[in-house]
Amino acid sequence: MKPSSSFNQLICQFENEWKFRKEDLMNLPEFGCLNGKVYYAYNIPGLQYHVQIYPTGMTIKNRGRTQIRFDSYYYCEPELEIEVFIESINFSKSYSSINANGGGYTWKTADFFNPKNKLFVNGELTIKVKGIIKVPRPSTPIISSYICAEWKINEQDLKEQEQMEESTDDRVIFKEITVPSLPGIKLKLEFFSRKIQACSYFFIHGEPGNETKGGAVLDYSIDSANYNEQFSFVFGGDKYFAIRLGLTDNLLDPTKKRFFVNGVLTINLKGIFMVEKHQNDQFKTLTLTKSFALKSAWKRKNKDFLIVIGDKEIHVHKKVLLAASKSMIGNKETFDNKMVINDFPYKIVDIAVKLIYGKSVMLKSSLEDMFLLFHFGDRYRIQAIMDMIEKCLIREISPVNVVYLLKFSSPDSNDSTNVPNLYQECVEFFIKCLKKATPIYAAESLGEEFLESMFLKSILSNFTDLIN
């Protein structure tokens, strides 16, 4: 697998497309914005990204100019290296930035909608973006929980509500969602209709448990109206939080947008909650089942081989290193009983050496560190380290990270590492999630072909169960 991180950064590689209906863009108010579908980075919980279009400009200053923007959202400003494509007009443009958005790609509004310019095909504009997003590696381990919910509201209920006197503040519909694996955190959804203001409001209240600190990034969409919004918030202690989201159109006006289908408004809500791990949960113990030296050897002073990582050194016994990995001693980096390692951080090399000596090591719970240890074992052919990390990763599989682990272990991709047992465990876990309707974080990044194959396997699995 290509590195998904440097020593100090997490790196998300992506390639997605967004479709926008010409009709929806033309019906926006002046300086209005249409947001494309929100995607989540499979290897960076909490990172959202999408495309926005301002058909008539963002402000008075650029009135009359259509602007296309790529935006990403995280707790800090990401770095971007992206390329934007519009194949219908053979357009492409590269962009790099150290902040959260991908600049602006502008046309005169009249030219943008002019049929002669052929931006729209069958009434739709397709924008493709590929590139990488970089963020700093978080310093504090977190527990993540992904949610995905569908909320249906009957049109008749809203109509009856608007016919009532003094109904501006009456609650129409209420729903509560428990966040999986994070006890004490709940979403309370409340829907209001305000006839006087000709708009509707969507409230979200959360009640975190005692001493729970963290945050969430969520998005909600109404597919029939091509309506998408995203937001984030932080919480802590026993205080509640509240987000108010306004839908700018009167939902009951049929001339505005297609909010209702067969008398039902369907709101899709998804996102990820993240809380800091308790200190006692931050570490896991790593121990090799196969030892290449007596534990007492680590303390002996007659070490005759030096490993250099940057400005730091590790002294080892050449015989112990040779027993663990002949490739370390005999590779081109080795000379005069000295070896220089530039492609792994000191922390990872130090852990690997201690494991070779049979010592138990406390490691902060981090997929990235475990990936680096696996790559170190692979690079120097230390199968014991690779086997140990594979077993650890299998125990870590969850709805939040299964996509990341699938990409890491897949045998079919040129940019992945072939870890067969881990891959098979991930596939089986993925199928179980499908059968139980358990939301999977960033599943869309696996591609339609893979998702279709998983869906078929889940159906066949159910059929087999029935036969047995």
Side-chain angles (χ1 to χ4, degrees):
M1 181 180 182
K2 292 179 180 179
S4 58
S5 67
S6 65
F7 297 162
N8 300 312
Q9 290 181 312
L10 301 180
I11 301 173
C12 172
Q13 301 183 36
F14 71 94
E15 182 173 357
N16 295 103
E17 71 174 30
W18 288 262
K19 293 183 181 291
F20 297 87
R21 290 193 290 248
K22 185 175 184 179
E23 177 185 357
D24 294 333
L25 292 167
M26 295 184 72
N27 287 334
L28 287 175
E30 188 172 30
F31 310 130
C33 170
L34 192 60
N35 295 314
K37 176 182 177 181
V38 176
Y39 288 93
Y40 291 80
Y42 68 88
N43 61 329
I44 309 175
L47 175 61
Q48 299 171 317
Y49 60 92
H50 71 157
V51 168
Q52 298 176 311
I53 300 183
Y54 293 81
T56 57
M58 294 179 63
T59 61
I60 294 176
K61 182 179 180 180
N62 50 32
R63 171 185 278 155
R65 296 196 67 85
T66 298
Q67 188 165 18
I68 298 175
R69 293 163 58 86
F70 177 86
D71 277 359
S72 57
Y73 301 87
Y74 197 55
Y75 74 91
C76 60
E77 290 190 340
E79 296 181 29
L80 301 178
E81 295 178 19
I82 62 173
E83 189 169 5
V84 178
F85 302 89
I86 303 177
E87 295 180 353
S88 59
I89 58 171
N90 197 29
F91 170 88
S92 67
K93 188 173 181 179
S94 299
Y95 188 88
S96 60
S97 171
I98 58 172
N99 54 43
N101 63 75
Y105 310 95
T106 62
W107 290 265
K108 290 182 178 180
T109 300
D111 293 338
F112 183 77
F113 288 113
N114 192 332
K116 293 182 180 180
N117 292 327
K118 300 180 180 179
L119 272 85
F120 294 87
V121 178
N122 297 325
E124 280 192 334
L125 170 65
T126 301
I127 299 173
K128 296 182 179 180
V129 183
K130 70 176 182 179
I132 60 174
I133 305 174
K134 302 177 182 179
V135 301
R137 293 185 65 170
S139 57
T140 303
I142 60 173
I143 300 173
S144 301
S145 183
Y146 182 57
I147 65 168
C148 186
E150 185 179 77
W151 194 20
K152 294 184 180 293
I153 299 169
N154 290 322
E155 183 176 14
Q156 188 59 36
D157 291 341
L158 295 183
K159 289 182 177 179
E160 292 175 358
Q161 184 68 27
E162 290 206 350
Q163 291 171 359
M164 295 172 58
E165 293 183 1
E166 300 179 356
S167 64
T168 55
D169 290 321
D170 290 340
R171 187 177 69 195
V172 177
I173 290 186
F174 173 89
K175 183 175 182 177
E176 185 173 275
I177 299 173
T178 300
V179 179
S181 75
L182 297 179
I185 298 181
K186 296 181 180 180
L187 285 178
K188 291 184 177 180
L189 313 179
E190 298 179 0
F191 192 93
F192 292 77
S193 179
R194 297 192 173 186
K195 184 177 179 181
I196 296 175
Q197 296 179 349
C199 63
S200 297
Y201 291 89
F202 181 55
F203 284 79
I204 296 183
H205 301 269
E207 296 179 348
N210 294 332
E211 304 303 324
T212 300
K213 296 181 180 180
V217 290
L218 304 171
D219 75 274
Y220 74 102
S221 62
I222 303 172
D223 293 341
S224 60
N226 199 19
Y227 189 95
N228 300 274
E229 293 289 349
Q230 73 291 315
F231 57 97
S232 62
F233 54 84
V234 296
F235 54 82
D238 57 357
K239 297 179 180 180
Y240 75 92
F241 54 86
I243 302 293
R244 187 177 74 177
L245 305 172
L247 302 176
T248 57
D249 291 290
N250 183 351
L251 300 187
L252 296 176
D253 186 346
T255 65
K256 293 288 185 177
K257 283 190 174 184
R258 299 168 292 275
F259 286 109
F260 289 88
V261 176
N262 297 324
V264 177
L265 168 66
T266 301
I267 298 175
N268 301 300
L269 176 69
K270 68 177 187 292
I272 187 166
F273 278 76
M274 298 162 289
V275 300
E276 295 181 2
K277 281 192 172 184
H278 295 297
Q279 188 68 30
N280 293 337
D281 298 330
Q282 290 184 8
F283 296 92
K284 57 169 52 66
T285 302
L286 301 181
T287 306
L288 290 186
T289 56
K290 177 181 179 181
S291 177
F292 299 96
L294 296 175
K295 292 183 180 180
S296 59
W298 176 254
K299 297 181 180 180
R300 295 175 186 171
K301 296 182 179 180
N302 60 333
K303 296 174 180 175
D304 55 355
F305 194 85
L306 182 65
I307 301 176
V308 180
I309 313 99
D311 58 354
K312 297 183 178 181
E313 299 178 347
I314 301 176
H315 294 268
V316 298
H317 297 94
K318 189 172 183 179
K319 288 184 178 180
V320 174
L321 205 61
L322 187 62
S325 170
K326 295 181 180 179
S327 65
M328 289 186 74
I329 297 295
N331 67 49
K332 61 182 179 181
E333 301 162 341
T334 307
F335 54 93
D336 296 332
N337 290 326
K338 177 181 176 182
M339 177 184 184
V340 178
I341 296 179
N342 296 315
D343 48 354
F344 291 95
Y346 170 82
K347 171 185 175 181
I348 297 301
V349 180
D350 182 57
I351 290 174
V353 170
K354 288 177 179 176
L355 290 171
I356 288 171
Y357 271 85
K359 295 178 66 66
S360 295
V361 179
M362 300 294 288
L363 176 70
K364 274 193 176 183
S365 182
S366 166
L367 286 183
E368 296 296 333
D369 285 343
M370 284 194 277
F371 287 166
L372 285 173
L373 277 170
F374 186 93
H375 284 303
F376 185 90
D378 187 36
R379 169 74 171 79
Y380 296 107
R381 300 179 185 178
I382 309 175
Q383 190 63 44
I385 289 181
M386 295 167 65
D387 292 342
M388 177 197 64
I389 295 300
E390 183 175 20
K391 291 178 181 178
C392 288
L393 291 175
I394 288 173
R395 291 193 293 268
E396 292 286 316
I397 298 173
S398 74
V400 172
N401 65 31
V402 65
V403 171
Y404 194 7
L405 292 173
L406 275 167
K407 285 179 171 286
F408 172 78
S409 60
S410 172
D412 300 323
S413 176
N414 293 329
D415 62 351
S416 64
T417 304
N418 185 4
V419 194
N421 293 332
L422 173 61
Y423 182 77
Q424 186 58 40
E425 291 287 343
C426 286
V427 168
E428 292 177 5
F429 182 87
F430 199 100
I431 292 173
K432 288 179 182 178
C433 288
L434 290 178
K435 292 166 71 173
K436 295 180 180 180
T438 302
I440 299 172
Y441 178 72
E444 64 274 2
S445 64
L446 292 170
E448 292 183 2
E449 184 177 347
F450 179 87
L451 293 177
E452 287 176 2
S453 70
M454 290 296 99
F455 178 71
L456 289 174
K457 285 182 179 179
S458 69
I459 293 175
L460 292 173
S461 176
N462 285 335
F463 181 70
T464 302
D465 291 342
L466 287 173
I467 292 176
N468 293 335

